[in-house]
PDB file of all heavy atoms in Angstrom:
ATOM      1  N   PRO W  89     -22.696  13.543  11.197  1.00 90.00           N
ATOM      2  CA  PRO W  89     -22.668  12.125  11.544  1.00 90.00           C
ATOM      3  C   PRO W  89     -23.423  11.700  12.800  1.00 90.00           C
ATOM      4  O   PRO W  89     -23.321  10.532  13.188  1.00 90.00           O
ATOM      5  CB  PRO W  89     -21.167  11.887  11.743  1.00 90.00           C
ATOM      6  CG  PRO W  89     -20.696  13.171  12.348  1.00 90.00           C
ATOM      7  CD  PRO W  89     -21.550  14.260  11.773  1.00 90.00           C
ATOM      8  N   ASP W 147     -28.823  -6.236   1.306  1.00 96.00           N
ATOM      9  CA  ASP W 147     -30.036  -6.037   2.110  1.00 96.00           C
ATOM     10  C   ASP W 147     -30.629  -4.654   1.841  1.00 96.00           C
ATOM     11  O   ASP W 147     -29.962  -3.744   1.346  1.00 96.00           O
ATOM     12  CB  ASP W 147     -29.729  -6.211   3.599  1.00 96.00           C
ATOM     13  CG  ASP W 147     -29.623  -7.677   4.009  1.00 96.00           C
ATOM     14  OD1 ASP W 147     -30.370  -8.489   3.437  1.00 96.00           O
ATOM     15  OD2 ASP W 147     -28.796  -7.997   4.876  1.00 96.00           O
ATOM     16  N   SER W 168     -26.653   6.131  -8.686  1.00 98.00           N
ATOM     17  CA  SER W 168     -27.161   6.809  -9.878  1.00 98.00           C
ATOM     18  C   SER W 168     -26.032   7.423 -10.697  1.00 98.00           C
ATOM     19  O   SER W 168     -26.004   7.307 -11.928  1.00 98.00           O
ATOM     20  CB  SER W 168     -28.167   7.886  -9.472  1.00 98.00           C
ATOM     21  OG  SER W 168     -28.592   8.627 -10.599  1.00 98.00           O
ATOM     22  N   LYS W 177     -17.039   7.023 -17.986  1.00 95.00           N
ATOM     23  CA  LYS W 177     -15.712   7.639 -17.901  1.00 95.00           C
ATOM     24  C   LYS W 177     -14.664   6.680 -17.344  1.00 95.00           C
ATOM     25  O   LYS W 177     -13.506   7.048 -17.133  1.00 95.00           O
ATOM     26  CB  LYS W 177     -15.775   8.888 -17.013  1.00 95.00           C
ATOM     27  CG  LYS W 177     -16.582  10.030 -17.618  1.00 95.00           C
ATOM     28  CD  LYS W 177     -16.694  11.212 -16.666  1.00 95.00           C
ATOM     29  CE  LYS W 177     -15.351  11.864 -16.377  1.00 95.00           C
ATOM     30  NZ  LYS W 177     -14.801  12.595 -17.544  1.00 95.00           N
ATOM     31  N   VAL W 181     -15.832   3.478  -8.584  1.00 98.00           N
ATOM     32  CA  VAL W 181     -16.475   4.102  -7.419  1.00 98.00           C
ATOM     33  C   VAL W 181     -17.034   3.018  -6.504  1.00 98.00           C
ATOM     34  O   VAL W 181     -17.689   2.080  -6.969  1.00 98.00           O
ATOM     35  CB  VAL W 181     -17.621   5.040  -7.843  1.00 98.00           C
ATOM     36  CG1 VAL W 181     -18.211   5.739  -6.623  1.00 98.00           C
ATOM     37  CG2 VAL W 181     -17.148   6.053  -8.874  1.00 98.00           C
ATOM     38  N   SER W 211     -12.953  13.674  36.183  1.00 91.00           N
ATOM     39  CA  SER W 211     -13.125  12.894  37.416  1.00 91.00           C
ATOM     40  C   SER W 211     -14.594  12.793  37.816  1.00 91.00           C
ATOM     41  O   SER W 211     -14.958  12.948  38.989  1.00 91.00           O
ATOM     42  CB  SER W 211     -12.308  13.512  38.561  1.00 91.00           C
ATOM     43  OG  SER W 211     -10.942  13.526  38.236  1.00 91.00           O
ATOM     44  N   GLY W 255     -16.552  -3.834   9.225  1.00 95.00           N
ATOM     45  CA  GLY W 255     -16.827  -3.885  10.654  1.00 95.00           C
ATOM     46  C   GLY W 255     -16.029  -4.974  11.343  1.00 95.00           C
ATOM     47  O   GLY W 255     -15.290  -5.728  10.705  1.00 95.00           O
ATOM     48  N   GLU W 276      -8.276   2.039  34.561  1.00 96.00           N
ATOM     49  CA  GLU W 276      -7.654   1.776  35.864  1.00 96.00           C
ATOM     50  C   GLU W 276      -6.287   1.121  35.691  1.00 96.00           C
ATOM     51  O   GLU W 276      -5.328   1.448  36.407  1.00 96.00           O
ATOM     52  CB  GLU W 276      -8.568   0.888  36.709  1.00 96.00           C
ATOM     53  CG  GLU W 276      -8.068   0.693  38.133  1.00 96.00           C
ATOM     54  CD  GLU W 276      -9.092   0.049  39.046  1.00 96.00           C
ATOM     55  OE1 GLU W 276     -10.248  -0.181  38.595  1.00 96.00           O
ATOM     56  OE2 GLU W 276      -8.751  -0.231  40.210  1.00 96.00           O
ATOM     57  N   ASN W 315      -7.543  -6.247  12.632  1.00 95.00           N
ATOM     58  CA  ASN W 315      -6.297  -6.514  13.351  1.00 95.00           C
ATOM     59  C   ASN W 315      -6.494  -6.546  14.863  1.00 95.00           C
ATOM     60  O   ASN W 315      -5.949  -7.402  15.550  1.00 95.00           O
ATOM     61  CB  ASN W 315      -5.259  -5.432  13.030  1.00 95.00           C
ATOM     62  CG  ASN W 315      -4.469  -5.742  11.775  1.00 95.00           C
ATOM     63  OD1 ASN W 315      -4.634  -6.783  11.163  1.00 95.00           O
ATOM     64  ND2 ASN W 315      -3.619  -4.809  11.385  1.00 95.00           N
TER      65      ASN W 315
END
Side-chain angles (χ1 to χ4, degrees):
D147 282 325
S168 175
K177 292 176 65 70
V181 184
S211 300
E276 186 169 356
N315 274 357

